Amino acid sequence: MSPKRPLRQVLAARVKQRARQGVHTVVHHAWEWIQRHGEITPHTPGRREFAYLGEGACIGFPTGAIYGEPWISIGDHTLVGTHVTISAGFVPGLDLGPDVIVRIGGSCSLGRGTHIVGHQSIDIGDDVFTGPNVYITDQNHTYGDLHTPIGRQWPENNPVVIGDGCWIGTGAIILPGTRLGRNVAVAGGAVVRGEFPDHSVIGGVPAKILRSHDKENGWQPPLRTDPLMSLDELASLSVDGLEGLQILQDRLRAESAAREGDVLSEEAG
C-alpha cells in the first residue's frame, strides 16, 4: 500500500484543482461573451459596411476574411456560421463598380468555415443551406500559357447562380459558371460546374445528376422511403423552436429504431 500523503499536500492538491476548475469556467464564459458580442448583426456598427444586412441576419464570431462589404448583400434572417469568409474583389479597398457582387438571399444558413469568394457575380437564392467548409467562387486562373506559372496567369470570371432552396453538402466546391436550379441537393465533397435543373440531386467529381424529378414519373430513381413528415409539419415544427426540434429528434430516433428492427428481422428470417 502507498503511504498516505501529508494533509498539507492533500489540501494543496484540492486548492489547485478548484483553481483550475475556476479558471476553466471563467475562460469558457468569457469566450461565450466574446462570441456573443462579436457577432455582426443589423444592430451592430459592422452592419454599416455592407450593401445590405437584413433584419434578423447574423454573422458569427470569429469571422473569416470579410472584405468588400459595400458589394456584399445578405438577406433577412440569414445565419452565417463562424470562420466564414465572404469577400468581394481581390483585396480590401478596391472600387468594384456600382453593382452588388455577392448577393445572399433571405433565411439562408451558411455552415462553419464556408468560403464565398466573388469577383463578378455570385447570386445565392433564399432558403439555401450549406454544410461546413463549402467553397463557392466565380473566378479561376487560366492555364493556357505554357511558360507562365498558373497562379500568375490572368484569371477568368464566370457568374454563379444558386437557386432558392438548395442544399450544399459538406466540403462541396462550386466552380465558376455553375447554375443550380431550385431545390438542388449537392452531395458532400462534390466538385460542381455547369447547369443543373430544379429538383435534382447531384454529386461526384465532376458532379453529375444522381436523381431528378419530373411531373409524370416523380423521382427517378425512386426514393427509397417515404418522408418522415410532410413539409407543412416540418414548417410548423421549425416555428416551435426548441420544442419542435425535440419532436423532430424523437421522431428520427423512433424511425432509426424501427429500421434497425426491420434489418434484424430480415437477418433472422
Side-chain angles (χ1 to χ4, degrees), residues 13-28:
R14 289 181 179 177
V15 169
K16 187 176 181 180
Q17 179 65 21
R18 293 277 182 89
R20 184 181 293 114
Q21 291 174 349
V23 170
H24 174 89
T25 300
V26 168
V27 167
H28 281 269

Side-chain angles (χ1 to χ4, degrees), residues 25-264:
T25 300
V26 168
V27 167
H28 281 269
H29 285 176
W31 180 241
E32 290 173 1
W33 186 92
I34 290 169
Q35 285 185 300
R36 185 168 63 254
H37 289 82
E39 294 172 346
I40 301 173
T41 74
H43 307 292
T44 61
R47 80 187 190 285
R48 302 188 187 120
E49 301 292 330
F50 289 87
Y52 180 74
L53 185 62
E55 187 61 34
C58 179
I59 301 174
F61 184 86
T63 63
I66 296 181
Y67 58 84
E69 292 95 323
W71 293 272
I72 298 171
S73 173
I74 299 176
D76 298 345
H77 306 293
T78 284
L79 303 179
V80 178
T82 59
H83 303 283
V84 170
T85 288
I86 306 175
S87 65
F90 291 102
V91 294
L94 298 178
D95 182 355
L96 305 179
D99 300 324
V100 169
I101 290 176
V102 176
R103 186 185 306 276
I104 302 169
S107 300
C108 296
S109 178
L110 305 182
R112 174 189 175 96
T114 289
H115 286 60
I116 300 175
V117 182
H119 296 270
Q120 180 180 354
S121 176
I122 296 177
D123 193 335
I124 298 174
D126 298 332
D127 300 298
V128 172
F129 287 67
T130 81
N133 302 315
V134 167
Y135 186 81
I136 302 171
T137 187
D138 63 356
Q139 185 179 89
N140 214 341
H141 284 277
T142 57
Y143 48 84
D145 188 338
L146 303 182
H147 305 291
T148 303
I150 292 173
R152 299 185 184 279
Q153 297 192 37
W154 195 254
E156 289 183 350
N157 296 334
N158 203 340
V160 170
V161 177
I162 297 174
D164 295 345
C166 288
W167 166 262
I168 303 175
T170 300
I173 299 173
I174 309 299
L175 293 173
T178 296
R179 299 180 66 90
L180 302 182
R182 181 173 176 269
N183 279 24
V184 174
V186 180
V191 178
V192 183
R193 187 168 193 169
E195 298 191 19
F196 296 89
D198 296 351
H199 308 294
S200 57
V201 180
I202 64 176
V205 182
K208 62 180 181 179
I209 296 176
L210 305 177
R211 176 175 278 122
S212 59
H213 186 275
D214 65 63
K215 294 181 180 179
E216 294 183 0
N217 300 313
W219 286 104
Q220 297 298 321
L223 296 176
R224 289 190 292 270
T225 60
D226 294 328
L228 184 63
M229 60 183 64
S230 70
L231 293 178
D232 289 340
E233 286 180 298
L234 189 58
S236 65
L237 289 182
S238 66
V239 174
D240 292 336
L242 186 60
E243 182 180 351
L245 290 176
Q246 185 61 59
I247 294 172
L248 178 59
Q249 180 66 52
D250 293 342
R251 289 199 185 186
L252 289 170
R253 188 184 300 113
E255 182 191 40
S256 178
R259 287 182 177 176
E260 289 180 3
D262 291 342
V263 170
L264 292 174

